[in-house]
Amino acid sequence: MSVTVSVRIPKKLRDEAKRYGINISEVARRALEEEVKKRQLEEATMAARLLGEIFSKIPQGEIVEWLREARRER
């Protein structure tokens, strides 16, 4: 499923893109996909950082014991 999105650009820019055979829709789609991926990576990085801070407060021996228990349950 897809949706239509409109964007206003200067006429001169549209004319130049047309002159060079640039598919504006494709360029806009790729740029938006890249921006979304960038934001997702930033969000995942922040979540990992937060988890790191949380785990750093838990004693290492306790984490090791949790892992051993999880392995035994398999």
Side-chain angles (χ1 to χ4, degrees):
M1 181 180 208
S2 63
V3 296
T4 301
V5 177
S6 297
V7 62
R8 283 191 177 272
I9 61 172
K11 183 179 182 312
K12 183 177 179 180
L13 180 59
R14 189 212 51 196
D15 293 345
E16 288 293 313
K18 195 173 186 178
R19 176 177 164 216
Y20 291 111
I22 297 170
N23 182 330
I24 295 172
S25 296
E26 182 61 30
V27 171
R29 189 177 308 112
R30 279 189 278 137
L32 187 55
E33 287 171 352
E34 287 297 318
E35 186 64 25
V36 167
K37 285 179 187 177
K38 176 183 163 189
R39 301 282 175 99
Q40 288 172 334
L41 181 59
E42 289 171 358
E43 185 177 49
T45 300
M46 288 176 52
R49 200 171 285 138
L50 178 60
L51 281 173
E53 290 174 13
I54 291 169
F55 279 117
S56 71
K57 296 175 184 176
I58 300 171
Q60 185 176 1
E62 197 169 332
I63 294 173
V64 169
E65 188 55 38
W66 291 343
L67 290 171
R68 286 183 181 148
E69 285 178 32
R71 289 179 185 148
R72 279 187 233 130
E73 290 175 5
R74 283 195 250 162

